[in-house]
């Protein structure tokens, strides 16, 4: 049974703000229940390429040993071939040459033979090339096209990243609520999203999909950073309305407290899992809660009248429908996407990058001209909580800023402890 550690004393509907005031529910499990996952121990026991595919008997290795139904997936255009090859070369060298998971490429138009031949030549794993259904990459019938055109002009004028591009709105919507519905993925349970022109800096010596499955994880991220709030001004209001109307769908151990800013009236702090790197459960996205939430946002038009991004949408969905214990920080995987760069500490000989601080990428996506108010603590520290939020004795925000700092360098733990 589930034993609540905090209870409410009124009968009003549950709201997102209520969720931040709850302490997590602790599961009281019967003696015969399954063992609670221990991801740290799993990594200690399996970070030696235990489940790598045998080079001498690859097909037998792939078919046996209860292998997860998983794939590397990428939404990519034919014109992005060079960038895709860059990403593939590094991920194959660092990981997939040992594990041989298939690559599945998606495009809103058919792939060229050059794209297919070039990508197949980079891997001994199987490759598949799929077209996004037209209904998943076009303006929905309930969207006012004139209003959409006006919003494109406005978003471009104020400088919201790629907000003026029609295709970018389609992409955000597809990544938010349609990729996991593609017919080709129906027989898959797990995915690793791979973008073109990204970098993977570290050897990965375990099967990330087995790790996710064996430890009952729903979502894995690599960076947790601020987004430009001008992209989605109504997202939080609509999310609160959804939570109120669908309180029965919210996970009993949901924790949105780390996404609320107490110095700003408990409004959304605009933190997000940087979703161009994500490893996750397709069945989580297929679940009733996420589907209802996506449809709620979609019908409101925010993917077109604003620029709802898949990163904040995924972040809020994961926070509402999964407990924190089923969300994993892949701190050990070095990664770079454009200006955002993550390199783990204590992996000498395994990584070709200089370790970055815990808070390295906190507000890089927020333009200087954006008037949004930054939260008191960095996003990753709010997610981790506890000791990670403690400040050094005598340190103050005002004191640091007086000497030219940004007010985020007073933490006791520097981040190289992980």
């Amino acid at each position: 049974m589930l034993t609540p550690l905090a209870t409410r004393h009124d009968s009003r509907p549950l709201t997102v703000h209520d969720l931040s005031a709850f302490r997590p529910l602790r599961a009281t499990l019967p003696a015969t229940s399954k063992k609670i996952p221990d991801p740290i121990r799993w990594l200690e026991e399996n970070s030696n390429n235990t489940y790598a595919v045998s080079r001498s008997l690859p097909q037998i290795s792939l078919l046996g040993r209860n292998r997860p139904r998983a794939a590397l997936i990428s939404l990519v255009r034919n014109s992005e071939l060079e960038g895709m090859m860059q990403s593939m070369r590094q991920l194959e060298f660092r990981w997939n040459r040992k594990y041989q998971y298939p690559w599945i490429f998606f495009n809103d138009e058919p792939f060229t033979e050059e794209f297919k031949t070039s990508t197949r030549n980079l891997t001994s794993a199987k490759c598949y090339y799929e077209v996004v259904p037209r209904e998943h990459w076009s303006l929905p019938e309930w969207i006012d096209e004139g209003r959409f055109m006006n919003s494109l002009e406005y978003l471009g004028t104020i400088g919201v990243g790629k907000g003026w591009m029609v295709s970018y709105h389609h992409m955000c919507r597809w990544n938010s609520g349609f990729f996991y519905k593609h017919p080709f993925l129906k027989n898959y349970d797990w995915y690793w999203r791979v973008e073109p022109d990204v970098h993977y800096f570290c050897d990965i010596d375990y099967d990330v999909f087995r790790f996710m499955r064996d430890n009952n994880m729903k979502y894995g991220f690599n960076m947790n950073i601020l987004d430009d709030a001008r992209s989605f001004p109504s997202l939080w209001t609509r999310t609160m309305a959804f939570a109120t109307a669908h309180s029965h769908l919210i996970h009993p151990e949901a924790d949105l407290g780390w996404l609320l800013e107490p110095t700003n009236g408990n409004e959304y702090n605009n933190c997000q899992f940087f979703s161009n790197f994500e490893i996750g459960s397709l069945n989580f996205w297929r679940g009733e809660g996420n589907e209802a939430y996506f449809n709620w946002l979609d019908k409101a038009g925010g993917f077109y009248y604003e620029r709802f991004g898949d990163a904040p949408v995924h972040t809020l969905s994961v926070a509402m429908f999964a407990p924190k214990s089923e969300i994993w920080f892949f701190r050990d995987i070095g990664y770079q996407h454009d200006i955002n760069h993550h390199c783990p500490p204590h992996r000498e000989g395994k990584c070709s990058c200089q370790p970055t601080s815990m808070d390295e990428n906190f507000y890089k996506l927020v333009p200087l001209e954006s008037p949004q108010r930054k939260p008191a603590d960095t996003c990753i520290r709010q997610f981790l909580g506890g000791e990670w939020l403690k400040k050094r004795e005598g340190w103050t925000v005002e004191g640091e800023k007086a000497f030219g700092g940004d007010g985020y360098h007073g933490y006791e733990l520097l981040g190289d402890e992980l």
Side-chain angles (χ1 to χ4, degrees), residues 227-360:
D227 202 355
D228 185 349
R230 300 173 302 164
S231 303
F232 43 80
S234 74
L235 177 59
W236 183 242
T237 300
R238 297 193 185 283
T239 299
M240 286 192 293
F242 170 85
T244 300
H246 300 83
S247 60
H248 64 288
L249 294 178
I250 307 299
H251 195 283
E253 295 179 73
D255 177 9
L256 274 78
W258 69 275
L259 290 168
L260 306 181
E261 180 51 42
T263 66
N264 191 29
N266 269 349
E267 289 295 310
Y268 177 35
N269 60 19
N270 304 306
C271 288
Q272 60 169 12
F273 298 129
F274 200 33
S275 62
N276 55 74
F277 176 108
E278 59 182 18
I279 301 172
S281 164
L282 290 166
N283 291 322
F284 171 80
W285 301 122
R286 294 164 180 151
E288 182 183 5
N290 178 70
E291 278 288 85
Y293 179 53
F294 170 73
N295 289 333
W296 179 278
L297 298 179
D298 197 29
K299 292 296 184 182
F303 292 103
Y304 294 100
Y305 302 143
E306 300 174 23
R307 205 217 70 182
F308 284 7
D310 51 275
V313 170
H314 278 192
T315 301
L316 291 166
S317 183
V318 169
M320 284 192 288
F321 308 122
K324 261 191 182 178
S325 61
E326 296 177 5
I327 306 170
W328 188 255
F329 177 20
F330 281 100
R331 176 76 161 124
D332 58 320
I333 299 180
Y335 177 73
Q336 181 174 353
H337 179 279
D338 199 16
I339 62 173
N340 292 286
H341 173 210
H342 166 82
C343 186
H346 311 307
R347 298 213 66 207
E348 293 80 3
K350 293 289 187 178
C351 298
S352 59
C353 55
Q354 290 297 314
T356 53
S357 73
M358 174 74 76
D359 312 301
E360 174 76 18

Side-chain angles (χ1 to χ4, degrees), residues 17 53 67 71 79 127 138 158 163 175 196 220 224 240 259 269 282 288 313 331 337 340 360 367 387 411:
H17 289 293
V53 172
R67 184 175 166 89
S79 59
C127 294
S138 55
I158 65 173
N175 277 324
N224 187 347
M240 286 192 293
L259 290 168
N269 60 19
L282 290 166
E288 182 183 5
V313 170
R331 176 76 161 124
H337 179 279
N340 292 286
E360 174 76 18
E387 298 291 317
Y411 297 106

